[in-house]
Amino acid sequence: YIHPLPGLVDRHERIHTTFHQALASTGRLSSTDPNLQNIPIRTELGRKIRKAFVSEPGTVLVACDYAQIDLRVAAALSQDQALIKAFVDGEDIHKTTAAAMWQVALDEVTSDQRRAAKAVNFGVLYGQGAFGLSEVAGVSFAEAKEFIQRYFTVYHRLRDYLDEIKESARTKGYAETSFGRRRAIPELFSGMPAVRSGGERMAMNMPIQGTTADLLKLAMIAIDEQLPTWSTSAKMILQVHDELLFEVEASEVARLVPKLRHCMETVVDLGVPLKVEA
């Protein structure tokens, strides 16, 4: 990862990526030469590499991240009332899901139960089956299967919605975001079962992840219009999936962060509150 980086530094000691609008099939921006959406962080070596990316003297990097954005979009699109209520009430969605799945009080949820609920929360949105979930959550195949059944008992409207997306995509040959952007899915008509089930996962995934991608771009446009009226020096410098990164003078951070957060949280009214952590 780091080998080409020194050669990509320009005369101002900056590194610039290239963003592609139409490469990722979900509509997300992708980044190349170098890929700055993929700066390592998980290992100690990764954290050392990340320390090499710094802002100009006197400025700080401010990251504004949409919290659980795919789940919030899924709640809005499916109109699952249990999911919507959890977000409207500002609950910890993974804890709430765990409490409902194991039928215990919120304060009785164990860290293992929350971790399993988190894995299911995100896994089902990407069409992950019991086998994939068992690997991610570190549980047996039988337990993973039971988790998914329990999950859809709690969020039954979400299950119906995901089935409806697949059926619609089979009829139309495409899936679309809530803003009307379409993705053709010819895999749904393949004679090979493995390819067909991959197409079904794409169909389930596209309206949710694609709507999230559209929402991020709308937020970037809104901030691009507003930012010059708030600051003469602050810059939006990077988009990393659900997160926007800014370079801000240290003295302006306290004033700018609430404005950035408000702009991102109100860019679209989904009927489910958006939450941005900075």
Side-chain angles (χ1 to χ4, degrees), residues 46-76:
R47 286 188 284 276
K48 279 184 179 173
I49 293 169
R50 188 164 278 228
K51 278 184 183 171
F53 292 88
V54 295
S55 58
E56 293 281 1
T59 70
V60 293
L61 295 175
V62 174
C64 293
D65 186 17
Y66 278 111
Q68 300 121 1
I69 183 70
D70 284 349
L71 272 172
R72 291 169 191 267
V73 166

Side-chain angles (χ1 to χ4, degrees), residues 102-148:
W102 278 275
Q103 297 186 321
V104 296
L106 274 173
D107 57 3
E108 291 175 10
V109 171
T110 67
S111 57
D112 282 348
Q113 286 172 333
R114 186 187 181 278
R115 191 162 49 248
K118 183 177 181 179
V120 187
N121 262 332
F122 290 118
V124 296
L125 295 188
Y126 309 134
Q128 193 175 55
F131 180 73
L133 180 63
S134 69
E135 288 198 326
V136 173
V139 295
S140 70
F141 178 81
E143 281 177 303
K145 199 171 176 182
E146 190 191 341
F147 286 171
I148 291 171

Side-chain angles (χ1 to χ4, degrees), residues 8-194:
L8 294 167
V9 175
D10 73 6
R11 61 194 175 88
H12 302 295
E13 298 193 319
R14 308 285 290 204
I15 279 186
H16 301 274
T17 187
T18 298
F19 283 111
H20 304 276
Q21 275 236 66
L23 213 60
S25 45
T26 52
R28 285 177 179 247
L29 293 179
S30 61
S31 158
T32 58
D33 306 317
N35 179 354
L36 292 184
Q37 295 177 328
N38 205 21
I39 304 169
I41 192 170
R42 290 225 167 99
T43 61
E44 184 155 350
L45 178 58
R47 286 188 284 276
K48 279 184 179 173
I49 293 169
R50 188 164 278 228
K51 278 184 183 171
F53 292 88
V54 295
S55 58
E56 293 281 1
T59 70
V60 293
L61 295 175
V62 174
C64 293
D65 186 17
Y66 278 111
Q68 300 121 1
I69 183 70
D70 284 349
L71 272 172
R72 291 169 191 267
V73 166
L77 296 182
S78 67
Q79 285 297 293
D80 187 297
Q81 293 308 307
L83 208 46
I84 291 171
K85 184 179 186 305
F87 286 124
V88 169
D89 293 348
E91 294 172 2
D92 173 341
I93 188 64
H94 306 311
K95 209 170 183 181
T96 301
T97 299
M101 281 172 65
W102 278 275
Q103 297 186 321
V104 296
L106 274 173
D107 57 3
E108 291 175 10
V109 171
T110 67
S111 57
D112 282 348
Q113 286 172 333
R114 186 187 181 278
R115 191 162 49 248
K118 183 177 181 179
V120 187
N121 262 332
F122 290 118
V124 296
L125 295 188
Y126 309 134
Q128 193 175 55
F131 180 73
L133 180 63
S134 69
E135 288 198 326
V136 173
V139 295
S140 70
F141 178 81
E143 281 177 303
K145 199 171 176 182
E146 190 191 341
F147 286 171
I148 291 171
Q149 284 170 341
R150 282 188 199 176
Y151 183 85
F152 282 134
T153 304
V154 176
Y155 300 127
H156 52 87
R157 174 62 202 128
L158 178 61
R159 179 198 56 212
D160 294 344
Y161 168 71
L162 293 172
D163 288 341
E164 286 161 15
I165 291 173
K166 282 193 286 189
E167 203 46 56
S168 167
R170 277 195 208 100
T171 305
K172 297 175 178 174
Y174 64 83
E176 64 186 320
T177 73
S178 62
F179 299 100
R181 188 167 50 76
R182 294 176 180 178
R183 175 187 181 179
I185 309 178
E187 291 87 348
L188 287 167
F189 310 106
S190 168
M192 297 164 71

